[in-house]
Amino acid sequence: MQRNDDPEFWQSVTGTLEQGEKPIETARREVLEETSIDITQSAYQLIDCQKINTYEIRDRWKYRYPPDTPYNTEHVFVVEVANDQAIVLTEHSAYLWLDKALAMQKVWSYTNREAISLYVPDANSSI
């Protein structure tokens, strides 16, 4: 998905843990908020990849974090949705369905590239 505030920045669904929320709950909520996909209602399987990334926050986004917060922690989840799944964007200006190689080229962050590399099957793979 293409960010509204940076047209060069393409990314997966992301979000912030709310008070008392578990990472998997955040993942479900953020997918719903950003794409209108209700994982539970659609009976999709949300998989916890048991992968946590820590990365330096971009200077242009530090205002979103508490003062003196240099790093962000990212929990990686994956969900497979139907090919004809409707998407309604709320926080992004565009989205694309791409094959694995093109998706890895398109996303801005190395953690997104790594997640696509590790958890998205190739087009000719079966899952």
Side-chain angles (χ1 to χ4, degrees):
M1 297 182 298
Q2 183 182 38
R3 289 187 63 96
N4 285 335
D5 60 357
D6 184 347
E8 299 301 313
F9 198 105
W10 287 76
Q11 69 181 144
S12 61
V13 172
T14 63
T16 302
L17 283 166
E18 291 183 354
Q19 186 81 22
E21 197 174 46
K22 295 177 182 172
I24 198 159
E25 296 167 336
T26 302
R28 281 190 196 98
R29 177 180 53 77
E30 290 290 346
V31 167
L32 180 61
E33 289 176 3
E34 294 185 19
T35 68
S36 78
I37 297 171
D38 187 323
I39 292 171
T40 304
Q41 185 178 23
S42 300
Y44 292 139
Q45 183 180 8
L46 181 63
I47 299 168
D48 185 344
C49 297
Q50 301 296 309
K51 171 85 172 140
I52 299 174
N53 298 314
T54 302
Y55 60 89
E56 191 168 358
I57 299 167
R58 290 176 78 191
D59 286 339
R60 71 184 296 173
W61 292 337
K62 287 189 177 180
Y63 72 92
R64 299 176 181 173
Y65 296 85
D68 301 320
T69 304
Y71 298 101
N72 194 20
T73 301
E74 174 181 80
H75 299 262
V76 180
F77 294 88
V78 65
V79 61
E80 182 178 359
V81 301
N83 288 340
D84 60 351
Q85 174 66 57
I87 303 290
V88 177
L89 298 177
T90 59
E91 300 176 19
H92 298 83
S93 51
Y95 73 93
L96 295 170
W97 293 114
L98 299 170
D99 68 29
K100 183 175 182 172
L102 289 175
M104 287 175 63
Q105 291 174 16
K106 190 75 169 168
V107 295
W108 186 90
S109 81
Y110 72 92
T111 60
N112 265 196
R113 277 190 293 284
E114 178 184 62
I116 293 166
S117 169
L118 293 173
Y119 305 110
V120 175
D122 291 312
N124 56 1
S125 297
S126 59
I127 53 172

